[in-house]
Amino acid sequence: MAALSAGLGLQRAEAEDPPMKGLERALGSLNRDESLSRAARRHLRDLARGTAHARWSAIRGALRHEGLADAQVLPFAAFSSSVPELEVWAMRYLDERIESRGFTHYGLALIEDGSRRGLAIFFARRLVELPPLPVGRPPRSLRGVLLTNATSVEGYFTLASGEVRRAEAKRQGRSVRVLAPEEGEVQALEMIVHTSRGPEVAAQVTYHPAPRPSGLRVVDLPSMRRAITELRRQQDAPALEPSKALAEAAAEHARWVCEHRLAVHLRPDGVGPVERARAVGYKGEVLENIAIASSLEEAHQNLLDSPSHRMNLLAAEAKLLGLGAAERTLPGGPMSCLVQLFGVAP
């Protein structure tokens, strides 16, 4: 894919650009959302200027500018002098990364950058419809309407101290809301809905990314284990012992996640984390974190930024740890799949 570089004279592409009929047909089963399109355009312009990178933190910033709290978003962005070439790349991306993953909405932007065109598409799996959120300050609540069948709704929030708490969650029919208390500085607020895939993050607002433990960078599983140990030490959570059985179960599911490109706790056959752990000889209960990103470091940071996943990382009842990772190369770059399993003492 073409390298990204700085550019000037950004504007919406002119009408003489050839239509992308094949891409239009491929996107026909998804709902086009203009707020997602504006967020995609903002991100594309930042990429062209060299003021952003294709990381989740940059995507989240573009979404927040539009008052969006979509938590399951996958972006495509590329530049080329040829619009047909952009369409080919986007179609390949759609086939390799989007098909069969349950995305429901998309936003599309095509801009002009000197002699190049830039194309960005934000794909979202939207489980709850929310009104636009305030841009300037963290909201104390998330309210919306369920777009999918859900058995239950939960809420979590992270304070500036790094502590995670449960938020009040209420549901009446398809109307749902999660509420954080008035006291304390809210760093992140999250809504979880339980679907046939297990618990899924339906909405997330993060105003300040969670800091990494000082001096530690995650580049592989051993360094991730050290980072988790330091995080728990800083938050006065007991240290975790490594578990070969949980590491085996985590590695097996990470390979499955990368093969199917689905970050789900419940597989289509109904097998969940407890069953996977028991299949390799572990007898207790488990907590599970799953993330897909462009690197292990980004995957782990995404889990730190998510209140519900951070709660698992800090769970006082957890005694054992198993980490698993898998990678594959797809159009647009590498995919890193991370699974963290925490064994709960009986």
Side-chain angles (χ1 to χ4, degrees), residues 39-108:
R41 181 172 293 111
R42 176 180 295 275
H43 182 60
L44 195 59
R45 288 174 171 172
D46 288 342
L47 287 174
R49 293 188 182 109
T51 58
H53 300 283
R55 290 182 173 272
W56 174 235
S57 57
I59 307 302
R60 187 166 49 212
L63 294 170
R64 189 169 65 235
H65 253 286
E66 298 301 327
L68 296 172
D70 292 292
Q72 299 188 52
V73 175
L74 198 58
F76 166 87
F79 289 86
S80 173
S81 59
S82 166
V83 171
E85 187 172 45
L86 287 174
E87 182 179 25
V88 169
W89 289 340
M91 293 286 288
R92 188 183 306 157
Y93 187 90
L94 196 67
D95 181 60
E96 289 287 339
R97 290 189 178 238
I98 303 301
E99 293 294 334
S100 304
R101 293 184 63 179
F103 287 97
T104 59
H105 293 71
Y106 78 96
L108 183 148

Side-chain angles (χ1 to χ4, degrees), residues 226-279:
R226 292 192 294 271
I228 292 172
T229 298
E230 178 62 15
L231 173 70
R232 290 177 66 89
R233 186 193 67 77
Q234 291 177 0
Q235 295 293 323
D236 296 322
L240 301 174
E241 292 293 328
S243 166
K244 290 184 178 180
L246 290 181
E248 182 180 347
E252 187 276 331
H253 191 48
R255 291 190 294 269
W256 186 95
V257 167
C258 256
E259 179 184 353
H260 294 86
R261 293 157 290 167
L262 287 174
V264 299
H265 298 282
L266 291 178
R267 297 180 185 179
D269 60 5
V271 172
V274 172
E275 292 81 8
R276 294 194 298 274
R278 288 177 181 171

Side-chain angles (χ1 to χ4, degrees), residues 289-307:
N289 285 344
I290 306 173
I292 298 177
S294 60
S295 68
L296 278 182
E297 182 177 26
E298 186 177 17
H300 182 62
Q301 186 64 38
N302 291 347
L303 295 175
L304 285 173
D305 291 342
S306 162

Side-chain angles (χ1 to χ4, degrees), residues 182-340:
E182 290 300 322
E183 70 275 7
E185 181 183 347
V186 174
Q187 182 184 64
L189 180 61
E190 189 174 73
M191 179 186 292
I192 304 292
V193 300
H194 288 253
T195 72
S196 59
R197 296 182 174 187
E200 295 190 67
V201 183
Q204 182 188 105
V205 181
T206 302
Y207 284 83
H208 305 287
R212 298 179 179 89
S214 178
L216 294 176
R217 183 182 176 191
V218 172
V219 295
D220 52 22
L221 293 184
S223 59
M224 184 181 298
R225 188 176 297 110
R226 292 192 294 271
I228 292 172
T229 298
E230 178 62 15
L231 173 70
R232 290 177 66 89
R233 186 193 67 77
Q234 291 177 0
Q235 295 293 323
D236 296 322
L240 301 174
E241 292 293 328
S243 166
K244 290 184 178 180
L246 290 181
E248 182 180 347
E252 187 276 331
H253 191 48
R255 291 190 294 269
W256 186 95
V257 167
C258 256
E259 179 184 353
H260 294 86
R261 293 157 290 167
L262 287 174
V264 299
H265 298 282
L266 291 178
R267 297 180 185 179
D269 60 5
V271 172
V274 172
E275 292 81 8
R276 294 194 298 274
R278 288 177 181 171
V280 295
Y282 181 78
K283 303 302 183 184
E285 296 296 314
V286 297
L287 305 171
E288 183 178 61
N289 285 344
I290 306 173
I292 298 177
S294 60
S295 68
L296 278 182
E297 182 177 26
E298 186 177 17
H300 182 62
Q301 186 64 38
N302 291 347
L303 295 175
L304 285 173
D305 291 342
S306 162
S308 59
H309 294 92
R310 187 180 180 89
M311 178 170 276
N312 286 344
L313 282 160
L314 296 173
E317 66 271 26
K319 305 300 179 186
L320 300 172
L321 174 65
L323 301 175
E327 295 184 346
R328 64 181 297 182
T329 300
L330 294 171
M335 171 187 284
S336 292
C337 304
L338 170 64
V339 176
Q340 301 172 337

